[in-house]
Amino acid sequence: MKAFLFLIALLASCVVASNSGIFEDDGQSVTQPPGYIEQVAGDRRAEIPTIPTPTRRVTNAERLRRGISLLPPTRRSGTLRARASCIPLSNGVGKIQVRRTSDNVVLGYIRNTYDGQNSYTYGTLANSLTVQLGSTDSTVVGGAIEITAINGPDANYPRIGSVGGSAGYNFNSGQLGYTYLSGTGHTPANSPPSFSAGHSIQSLGYNAPAESTVWFVNCLTGAITAQWTNTDGSQPSTSIFYDAAVDFLGLIGDFNKFVETFPNEGAYTVSLHFIPDI
């Protein structure tokens, strides 16, 4: 029996020693075998995950400048909280690019000088107008804002607004209504055209009403759209167009009616795009 108990004790001491080291003569302190600490440290180092080297992504603002496609939107699962997810609009300073809507060809940029009737037209990047967006806050650019010319042709009317056309300026289906883009005074958003706001074409003796807070900026794509308000307060579908014969940019309701009325103007619809200065 004693021999059996001695054998069990001997086996137990071997297990303890193999797991925790070797007991010294005092029966309390333990000496670890050679290489034990280095092995444990190596095992722990192996457990530390490696951190990948970060790579730089080309931002959407840079992609707009280079003319390449934007990054795809981030897909997430589960319940999403409403929040802004927009391209950086820098400080809101940039150019306005003009594209023909039929084929998306870039025609140029809104020019920093007027045409012969004090209206905005387009030109090259070298003589392009520098503008300031009324807001770069994504919670605001979803609503109507003003766009101001920085190096514009008329310091008295720096806002890029819309002046009622000579043949009518109510945008209803089947009705001839259009405007000229020109420098204007301030008008509130969603307000009918104002005779008191003033505009650059008045110096030529033309006294139609104007609106200034008509612009919307898509903070994901930089696309600029407009909303004209009729004299009765209604807000019809609004497009942007270019009259090649007279050389002006303007807003319009029923574009087909304009072409039917003025078939020799060579007019076509265009789109505007904000290109931030980087």
Side-chain angles (χ1 to χ4, degrees):
M1 183 65 178
K2 288 183 179 180
F4 177 72
L5 292 175
F6 175 77
L7 179 60
I8 291 176
L10 179 61
L11 290 173
S13 64
C14 289
V15 171
V16 172
S18 64
N19 289 333
S20 305
I22 302 172
F23 280 98
E24 297 291 351
D25 293 339
D26 58 9
Q28 296 180 356
S29 58
V30 176
T31 299
Q32 300 293 353
Y36 174 84
I37 296 177
E38 290 79 3
Q39 179 182 351
V40 172
D43 292 341
R44 289 177 179 172
R45 281 195 297 268
E47 295 173 359
I48 301 175
T50 57
I51 301 175
T53 302
T55 57
R56 178 181 177 272
R57 299 182 74 189
V58 179
T59 65
N60 276 330
E62 177 69 11
R63 287 170 175 267
L64 277 176
R65 188 183 69 82
R66 297 183 186 180
I68 59 179
S69 60
L70 298 178
L71 293 170
T74 302
R75 306 291 183 186
R76 292 183 172 89
S77 58
T79 303
L80 298 179
R81 293 180 301 170
R83 62 176 184 174
S85 177
C86 299
I87 63 170
L89 296 178
S90 64
N91 57 356
V93 175
K95 314 290 186 184
I96 298 180
Q97 189 180 78
V98 182
R99 303 178 190 175
R100 188 166 48 218
T101 55
S102 61
D103 53 14
N104 205 37
V105 167
V106 175
L107 302 174
Y109 299 82
I110 289 186
R111 203 171 68 189
N112 59 11
T113 56
Y114 288 142
D115 67 359
Q117 62 174 15
N118 288 359
S119 299
Y120 280 112
T121 183
Y122 67 83
T124 66
L125 183 60
N127 62 3
S128 60
L129 183 71
T130 299
V131 302
Q132 171 73 63
L133 298 182
S135 175
T136 58
D137 185 341
S138 62
T139 62
V140 177
V141 294
I145 64 171
E146 289 183 314
I147 299 178
T148 302
I150 293 178
N151 61 334
D154 190 348
N156 293 321
Y157 296 108
R159 297 172 180 85
I160 303 174
S162 200
V163 179
S166 58
Y169 41 82
N170 280 314
F171 292 7
N172 298 313
S173 179
Q175 183 175 357
L176 182 61
Y178 61 95
T179 69
Y180 313 99
L181 296 192
S182 184
T184 72
H186 168 73
T187 64
N190 309 312
S191 298
S194 168
F195 282 94
S196 61
H199 52 79
S200 296
I201 312 179
Q202 282 180 320
S203 64
L204 302 177
Y206 184 70
N207 294 309
E211 298 179 17
S212 67
T213 312
V214 298
W215 304 110
F216 295 78
V217 180
N218 185 315
C219 57
L220 288 173
T221 65
I224 300 173
T225 55
Q227 177 61 67
W228 177 258
T229 301
N230 284 336
T231 55
D232 63 359
S234 61
Q235 294 187 315
S237 176
T238 303
S239 300
I240 306 168
F241 80 111
Y242 174 70
D243 186 312
V246 188
D247 189 29
F248 74 90
L249 291 163
L251 304 184
I252 196 162
D254 191 331
F255 179 71
N256 290 332
K257 183 66 176 179
F258 184 91
V259 173
E260 176 187 317
T261 307
F262 304 109
N264 299 320
E265 298 288 291
Y268 49 85
T269 57
V270 299
S271 61
L272 303 181
H273 301 264
F274 176 71
I275 308 297
D277 285 349
I278 299 176

